[in-house]
Amino acid sequence: MEWFEALALLLGAIVALMAVGMPVAIAFLAANILGAWVFMGGERGVVQLLNNGLGALTTYALVPIPLFLLMGEVFFHTGLGGRMFNAIDRLLGRLPGRLSYVTVLGGTGFSTLSGSSMGSTALLGSLMVPEMTARGYKKKMSIGPILGTGGLAIIIPPSALAVLLATLAQIDVGALLIAGVIPGLILAGLYVAMIWVQTKLDPAAAPPYDVTPITLGAKLLLILRDVVPMVGVMVVCIGLMIFGIVTPSEAAAFGALGVIALAAVFRCLTVEALYKSVKGALKVTLMAYMIVFGSATFSQLLAFSGASRGLIAWATGFDLDPIWMLLAMFGVLLILGMFMEQISIMLLTVPIFFPLADSLGFDLIWFALIMLLALEISFTTPPFGLLLFVMKGVSPPGTTMRDIYLAAIPFIFCSLVLVALLIAFPPLATWLPGR
């Protein structure tokens, strides 16, 4: 069987099974069993493939995923996120469009601690949109920043999706997490600049209103009590990884323990909150582990059938400049993001794109960050970006999908600017991890 026939069989089986409503992880498993039967000698090949897939689940690199998820769930369910948002809101005073700035600043902190785009978007949407709507903010000033900061959870560590991508691609988890720090902060700065431009061009989009002034002493108290402890957990986790003191798994354990300790100190760590946090983290962790299992076996089948080797030879045979190949892969990710959720995209593309990127001479950590940005953009890409529908679910009645689409576009532009900066200046991603 030719390589393109093998690739068509494997991908066609996966797409057909997903089209009839089968869950992604199960669809990959079924297609992998079919491929093993065809390419690896029937029943013995299936047994060997399943054994190899189970071996992929025992890797130490997967440990941060449940710990980062638990960290974010505790932060959400105990109300620590609400405390931080309220503090930032009071600190900004009468700044025009201040609730939009609160969304970016507080959302960046929450995204960092949660590592969950959907959780961040759901929290920000339910917490901030009703308040901004009541204050007369236009949709572009209330919904747009939330969609943007929800995607920051993918880039700024700790990011469970970054850990999953690094595991699937078999690259250094810690290096990828650290590589996202500078680009993530740049993206947050671009969002702030976008809000400033919007308020200057259309002051009525974020009308000012009176707020109760607070003293300098009260501001310092808010910072020390409600901002520094939460942000401090994130800074310490990242710092420990940057200086090589701990592994990503140890940093994740420290972060989860730190957030639980903060919740206990603030007396908001209830049995119900802890139960919901563990349950939420467990559900996503099980899904992630099934995905790793499916991806590991899918990669082996692509290699065993010759599909990976044939595809790379075909793609590199066009004699295109590597930058055009990068843009082509980026475009494929954006197109897939319009119709598929991000984990499915990773399962389909990682086994193909990373060997191709390696053959083109790209730094794989840098390439992985570009891929994360593509996934971040596709989260909000019309018509079917996942965060668009999450936002629709928590928006006030009367909010249309058109409103949400238009609000997302300026912040998608900011992300594209960051991609251009990373392509032009790769050290933005590679300097901090020391590559």
Side-chain angles (χ1 to χ4, degrees), residues 224-364:
L224 293 174
R225 185 189 63 192
D226 294 338
V227 178
V228 170
M230 288 52 154
V231 176
V233 172
M234 173 265 294
V235 171
V236 171
C237 285
I238 296 173
L240 290 174
M241 286 192 293
I242 289 175
F243 292 107
I245 299 173
V246 300
T247 65
S249 300
E250 293 164 343
F254 177 84
L257 181 61
V259 173
I260 291 173
L262 283 178
V265 168
F266 285 106
R267 298 183 179 181
C268 53
L269 184 65
T270 63
V271 174
E272 181 183 6
L274 196 57
Y275 170 77
K276 289 181 178 178
S277 301
V278 173
K279 181 181 178 181
L282 181 62
K283 287 171 63 177
V284 181
T285 299
L286 289 175
M287 179 185 68
Y289 273 60
M290 290 188 68
I291 286 163
V292 171
F293 181 90
S295 178
T297 51
F298 183 62
S299 300
Q300 292 172 19
L301 278 174
L302 287 177
F304 195 87
S305 64
S308 295
R309 183 172 60 256
L311 183 62
I312 291 171
W314 174 77
T316 55
F318 288 107
D319 196 27
L320 293 176
D321 191 275
I323 190 64
W324 289 110
M325 294 297 296
L326 175 66
L327 294 177
M329 289 187 281
F330 191 84
V332 169
L333 292 171
L334 291 185
I335 293 171
L336 291 176
M338 295 182 187
F339 307 101
M340 299 173 63
E341 50 88 24
Q342 278 57 42
I343 294 176
S344 301
I345 297 172
M346 287 169 54
L347 283 170
L348 284 172
T349 58
V350 165
I352 298 171
F353 282 6
F354 273 84
L356 180 57
D358 192 33
S359 70
L360 293 171
F362 295 145
D363 182 289
L364 293 185

Side-chain angles (χ1 to χ4, degrees), residues 88-106:
I88 295 173
D89 182 27
R90 295 183 65 188
L91 289 168
L92 290 179
R94 290 179 54 96
L95 181 68
R98 71 187 182 93
L99 290 179
S100 296
Y101 291 112
V102 168
T103 300
V104 171
L105 297 176

Side-chain angles (χ1 to χ4, degrees), residues 372-430:
L372 283 174
L373 277 167
L375 295 175
E376 181 263 325
I377 295 170
S378 69
F379 256 45
T380 52
T381 303
F384 300 121
L386 190 61
L387 293 189
L388 301 175
F389 293 96
V390 174
M391 178 55 65
K392 182 66 170 68
V394 298
S395 294
T399 303
T400 65
M401 289 305 298
R402 182 177 182 274
D403 294 331
I404 297 173
Y405 293 159
L406 293 176
I409 289 173
F411 295 88
I412 292 175
F413 173 75
C414 291
S415 297
L416 292 173
V417 169
L418 178 59
V419 172
L421 288 174
L422 286 174
I423 293 174
F425 307 103
L428 290 174
T430 58

Side-chain angles (χ1 to χ4, degrees), residues 38-61:
V38 173
F39 299 115
M40 298 179 67
E43 183 178 348
R44 287 184 298 177
V46 173
V47 172
Q48 180 62 44
L49 190 73
L50 295 177
N51 288 335
N52 294 342
L54 290 173
L57 297 181
T58 61
T59 176
Y60 189 64

Side-chain angles (χ1 to χ4, degrees), residues 20-40:
V20 298
M22 185 175 289
V24 174
I26 305 301
F28 266 84
L29 179 60
N32 289 341
I33 291 174
L34 171 64
W37 190 277
V38 173
F39 299 115
M40 298 179 67

